Structures are given as structure tokens and as C-alpha cells.
Amino acid sequence: MMKRVTVIFLSAAVLSYGAVLQAGEIEFLKSMNGSWRGNGTVKIRVNSLPLNISCKFTSGATDTSLTLAGKCTGFMGLSRAIGADIRTNGSTYTGSYVGAGTGIAGVNGKRSGNAIKLVIRWAKDVNGDRSARMTIEKIGSDGMRLTTVDTDPRTGKSVVTSQINLRRGP
């Protein structure tokens, strides 16, 4: 009898803990809903000079997904669409990203604190391979930072290839 009560108690504790984790993901995702605008820099290649950009994004979140859709404009009005469609299953995130000009890239990763840390799998080689890292970080209640890091094939060092700092706004 005691063994059965222990099993029931442990099962309830595990289910409750899972519900708390899921509630935390839902709250986190929904906190990113809205319109965002800001500035940042982007490097076309790891060894190029950074270009200043201005960006506008709209994000939508459900209990299990986050969608970012936007456009960044740089030198001489050149612009590029940037977007992500990410789904969560517990603490695991998977989905797609468009922004490097190579086609739709796959992403997967996990949330750590206020950041979703993703590994990117480019559709074509970028900087000598098909792999990079992206972080979507919530900064306070009204900020978000999107950072992409790639590896310099000559030195093996990590290089920030884009960083966009966004604030809520129309």
C-alpha cells in the first residue's frame, strides 16, 4: 500500500512539474508578442566590416510557437526580409529561419533563462560551412536582442555576424 501511494505521489509531482515548465514557456513566448523596431549591425562574411542596419519586426506567439517577421534596411536603402518560425515542445525549440540569403535554414535548441539558444543549419554554405548559432533574447519587458554567431574558417574563432537590438514600438 505504501509503495502504491509513493508511486502515485511521484507521478503527480512529475506531472505538476511538467505543467509548471509548460506554463513558463507559454508566458515567455507570449511576452514577445507585438511590434518591434531597432538598430544593429550585420557582417556579410565573418571577415567583413559590420554594416549598420535599421529593422522592424512583428512577432506572434501561441502556447507552443513564436513567429518573427520583419525587414532590415541598410546602406543605400538595401533591405532584406528576416523571419523565424519556431515551435516548442517542452523546453526544446525547432523550426526555420530566413535571413542569410541562402534560403530557409533549420534551427533547433533550448531556452536558457530569457534566451532561446539555437543552432542554425544553413541551406547552403555560409562562411565555409552550414552551421552557426542564434540567440533570441528577451531584455526586460520591452526589449529583444537577436544575435547570430558564426565561426571564422581561417582562425576557428567565433564572430558575431549580426546583432539587432529591438524595442517595442509601432
Side-chain angles (χ1 to χ4, degrees):
M1 177 70 167
M2 184 63 167
K3 188 174 185 180
R4 179 180 284 179
V5 170
T6 302
V7 168
I8 291 171
F9 176 76
L10 287 174
S11 297
V14 167
L15 290 174
S16 297
Y17 182 69
V20 168
L21 283 178
Q22 184 63 24
E25 293 304 316
I26 292 168
E27 182 179 307
F28 177 73
L29 289 172
K30 290 199 173 182
S31 75
M32 294 183 160
N33 262 332
S35 297
W36 302 84
R37 63 176 41 225
N39 299 302
T41 59
V42 64
K43 289 182 168 196
I44 304 303
R45 296 283 172 246
V46 290
N47 59 355
S48 66
L49 293 173
L51 303 171
N52 292 322
I53 56 173
S54 175
C55 304
K56 291 181 185 180
F57 283 88
T58 302
S59 64
T62 70
D63 291 355
T64 59
S65 69
L66 174 66
T67 302
L68 296 168
K71 183 187 275 188
C72 291
T73 305
F75 182 69
M76 295 178 52
L78 297 175
S79 66
R80 175 168 284 166
I82 297 177
D85 185 11
I86 303 166
R87 302 204 178 286
T88 182
N89 183 1
S91 63
T92 302
Y93 286 76
T94 59
S96 60
Y97 167 71
V98 175
T102 64
I104 299 172
V107 295
N108 67 70
K110 294 189 178 281
R111 181 162 72 100
S112 176
N114 285 332
I116 303 170
K117 296 184 176 192
L118 301 165
V119 173
I120 302 171
R121 175 74 176 154
W122 300 120
K124 297 178 184 174
D125 280 3
V126 175
N127 295 309
D129 63 18
R130 290 192 173 191
S131 181
R133 296 181 315 276
M134 175 189 293
T135 303
I136 303 170
E137 182 179 10
K138 187 76 184 344
I139 310 289
S141 62
D142 292 325
M144 186 183 339
R145 179 179 300 131
L146 310 176
T147 306
T148 305
V149 177
D150 207 344
T151 302
D152 184 333
R154 290 179 301 134
T155 65
K157 292 184 180 179
S158 294
V159 176
V160 174
T161 53
S162 70
Q163 186 167 63
I164 305 166
N165 296 297
L166 302 165
R167 303 289 303 161
R168 283 193 195 278

